[in-house]
Amino acid sequence: MADIRLQRISKVYHAKSGAARAVDDLTLAAADRELLVLVGPSGCGKTTILRLVAGLEEPSAGDILIGGRNVARVSPKDRDVAMVFQSYALYPHMTVYKNLAFGLKMRGAARGEIVQKIGEVSRLLGIGHLLDRKPESLSGGEQQRVAVGRAIVRRPQVFLFDEPLANLDAGLRVRMRSEFKTLQRDLMTTMIYVTHDQEEAMTLADRMAVLKDGRLQQYGTPLEIYHRPASRFVAGFVGTPMMNFLGGTLEGDGRACWFNGRVGRWRLAMPRAEGLNDHLGRAVVLGIRSDDVHVADRAAVAAAGGAGARGSGSACGTPGGPNDMGADPSTGEPPYPTLEMAVRLVEPLGFCTLVHVATATGEPLVARAGAEFACPPGGCVAVRVDLRRAHLFTADDDGRRIN
Ligand code: ATP
């Protein structure tokens, strides 16, 4: 068993078209027996990182430690690492049994040991009935199982998985995802798993690393990243549907902070801490997940004082409300801004309904309603925004979190 540590790793590829920095000064760790998921858009360097750990590429700078041993310049066969490729890379001319046996044979394992280990792995993965078949006669899911079997049969200290579920259809993908999680628990081995699918990353990871352009954007547990994204990029990449973003300015009056945008002027439910003070008067982006934008009873709009959006009025032609949403005089708490919005699209998901709405100024939001929600496009709904769970980011390219 072993932990994996990448210390200030960079990888520059030299191609005819010029140098490409695929990994840029990356420091990252997977603890012993942990499942670390690398996630990010295409080209962010995920596969390169796996290939560096496997020894299929040499880093341009930095160190890679497996179980405390620096392997940055150790050959792949001496790293005790197994990698499963997206293509599965099974030997097409060999039966499943021979595919599973190959790595053990190459390491000089005795016949008895090979038979016993293949027996164990086929039972674990449910592939005992496939041992005499050739890869071409297997379904995608079966090939995937055999590829995993070939990696685990020799019990290396580290497993590396490069998008192993990418070629499967949606249903099988979700099923295999759960199997994967169980397998990792059973094997209790350190794993690095690469995917571009943030939902897969969230469901599988003990910890995940979000990458962009070869650089680490955030590293933490799935829930830490979901609830406290470090930047607008991470906030937009992690979570379905994508977080809503609204542009505006941050204002403060000595007691509280306000978000002032085209959508309205909203008192924020966050203290005027140091971090926010530095941004007063500046352009910011307010992020709010659709989980925190609720479709409410239309009576709530009237109760909250109308549309509540300065300059925007109601999206549905009813009279506008007060210019801004201040503290509730009875409790001193910031209210939930409640606005009347036009429905653009309704997406029933079975367990809930996503309602795409727009303000009078055309700002789009995705809200969440109950499973039974029904409203034709062009209709109107009242939408309540729970600002207690709002995120604030800088409006520049960095999009850094400021609250
Ligand atoms: P995907 O999700 O599409 O597989 P990825 O996140 O795994 O992408 P990598 O395959 O690691 O990304 O590639 C990272 C960057 O390095 C890309 O810009 C890619 O074009 C470049 N790259 C990868 N391999 C090479 C190579 N052998 N020579 C030159 N550039 C390369």
Side-chain angles (χ1 to χ4, degrees), residues 13 15 20 22 40-49 57 86 163 194 196:
Y13 289 111
S42 184
C44 71
K46 307 179 293 291
T47 297
T48 301
I49 297 167
E57 300 287 351
Q86 182 176 344
E163 305 237 20
V194 157
H196 63 271

Side-chain angles (χ1 to χ4, degrees), residues 97-263:
Y97 184 92
K98 286 187 173 162
N99 264 283
L100 295 173
F102 187 78
L104 295 170
K105 264 194 185 154
M106 293 302 283
R107 280 173 170 71
R111 201 180 120 69
E113 186 193 348
I114 295 176
V115 171
Q116 183 220 328
K117 286 196 166 160
I118 291 182
E120 279 171 20
V121 163
S122 351
R123 268 192 301 281
L124 186 67
L125 295 169
I127 53 174
H129 60 297
L130 304 175
L131 294 177
D132 294 331
R133 307 246 300 258
K134 294 248 178 88
E136 64 185 6
S137 72
L138 305 178
S139 71
E142 288 166 344
Q143 288 188 32
Q144 193 271 342
R145 278 198 177 84
V146 175
V148 171
R150 198 175 55 176
I152 67 179
V153 74
R154 63 182 178 81
R155 287 295 185 132
Q157 8 173 32
V158 166
F159 291 120
L160 306 173
F161 294 98
D162 191 3
E163 305 237 20
L165 309 183
N167 298 333
L168 308 180
D169 66 56
L172 189 54
R173 228 183 136 117
V174 171
R175 252 199 346 267
M176 294 300 282
R177 204 158 78 188
S178 332
E179 285 190 18
F180 221 94
K181 188 108 181 151
T182 314
L183 183 71
Q184 199 258 344
R185 244 191 353 241
D186 291 349
L187 294 174
M188 293 207 302
T189 305
T190 315
M191 292 186 181
I192 304 184
Y193 185 107
V194 157
T195 179
H196 63 271
D197 178 339
Q198 57 84 27
E199 193 177 298
E200 194 168 297
M202 292 280 292
T203 52
L204 279 176
D206 292 319
R207 275 191 293 178
M208 60 195 246
V210 185
L211 297 150
K212 183 183 169 221
D213 299 334
R215 300 193 73 111
L216 182 65
Q217 304 296 308
Q218 193 168 2
Y219 172 51
T221 66
L223 289 183
E224 276 164 12
I225 290 176
Y226 183 81
H227 290 301
R228 244 189 115 65
S231 66
R232 212 163 69 228
F233 169 77
V234 175
F237 189 77
V238 174
T240 309
M242 192 172 123
M243 185 182 279
N244 295 294
F245 294 118
L246 299 167
T249 309
L250 188 65
E251 297 175 351
D253 72 353
R255 287 173 302 122
C257 278
W258 305 73
F259 170 79
N260 192 358
R262 287 203 307 159
V263 74

Side-chain angles (χ1 to χ4, degrees), residues 342-346 373-381:
V343 175
R344 295 270 190 259
L345 180 73
V346 176
F373 177 84
C375 176
C380 273
V381 288

Side-chain angles (χ1 to χ4, degrees), residues 39 69 113 157 209 221 295 332 337 368:
V39 65
R69 181 170 74 119
E113 186 193 348
Q157 8 173 32
T221 66
V295 172
R368 188 175 286 244

Side-chain angles (χ1 to χ4, degrees), residues 4-10 25-28 52-53 59-66 69-73 79:
I4 305 167
R5 275 185 285 148
L6 307 186
Q7 293 176 339
R8 306 208 62 180
I9 286 287
S10 291
D25 200 13
L26 178 77
T27 293
L28 195 59
L52 287 164
V53 177
S60 310
D63 289 318
I64 299 169
L65 285 87
I66 299 179
R69 181 170 74 119
N70 194 342
V71 297
R73 275 148 196 94
R79 294 192 184 195

